[in-house]
Amino acid sequence: MAGPEEIEVTAELVYEDPERALAWLEAAFGFQTRMVVRDDAQRVVFAEIGFGETVVAVGPERPWLRSPRTVGAATQGVRFRILQDVDAHCARARAAGATILREPETFFFGDRSYDAADHEGHAWSFNQRIAEAAGPPPPGWTTRFPKSAG
């Protein structure tokens, strides 16, 4: 079995219209399209977008994977730690038509983040680490850092 250092995880999101999704994700969230695979009818069958070293796969719906627009709700979210001003990122997303699900907020563990839904309803979270913002947890909350295996 492969060790943790030999594994990469890539989120894959499906869209009713992956062509439109690529343009929208670039405009709203600042992703760069890195690869686009098209079939003989020039439809997008697979694409990769990303920030830095982080990659997200984008593709069309399949019988076992559906867009939140098709099923009526998102069933998971994608979370990114960004190195830029999260408030400015949120403003860009809003201007491009993202639905802001949670306005930027600073958490006791030192992240400032916001949540947004894209044009087909996928949930996205963008987070900026602000170490000096860290503070005590709310009453009754705890934070634990389990030791890593090995």
Side-chain angles (χ1 to χ4, degrees):
M1 172 170 252
E5 66 282 351
E6 301 173 53
I7 298 172
E8 291 182 12
V9 176
T10 301
E12 180 178 8
L13 302 177
V14 297
Y15 290 86
E16 290 177 347
D17 185 348
E19 186 82 49
R20 180 170 180 245
L22 294 173
W24 195 94
L25 293 165
E26 285 182 7
F29 296 147
F31 285 107
Q32 297 173 337
T33 298
R34 304 218 173 124
M35 177 176 60
V36 179
V37 178
R38 297 178 185 279
D39 65 13
D40 57 352
Q42 294 306 298
R43 294 176 298 230
V44 173
V45 295
F46 181 80
E48 288 184 349
I49 59 172
F51 287 126
E53 298 295 315
T54 304
V55 174
V56 175
V58 171
E61 291 185 305
R62 298 186 285 283
W64 58 93
L65 288 174
R66 296 292 187 192
S67 166
R69 180 183 288 163
T70 300
V71 298
T75 60
Q76 75 280 321
V78 181
R79 179 183 160 102
F80 284 89
R81 172 140 310 128
I82 59 177
L83 302 177
Q84 56 192 302
D85 178 352
V86 79
D87 292 274
H89 193 272
C90 180
R92 173 187 180 150
R94 185 188 322 274
T99 301
I100 305 304
L101 303 171
R102 185 179 49 78
E103 293 292 333
E105 128 181 52
T106 303
F107 291 92
F108 72 90
F109 48 85
D111 272 7
R112 182 157 179 80
S113 67
Y114 79 97
D115 295 335
D118 68 24
H119 66 292
E120 287 199 20
H122 289 286
W124 299 81
S125 178
F126 295 94
N127 307 269
Q128 178 185 13
R129 178 59 44 97
I130 305 174
E132 63 274 9
W141 287 38
T142 62
T143 303
R144 185 171 78 89
F145 296 94
K147 292 182 181 179
S148 62

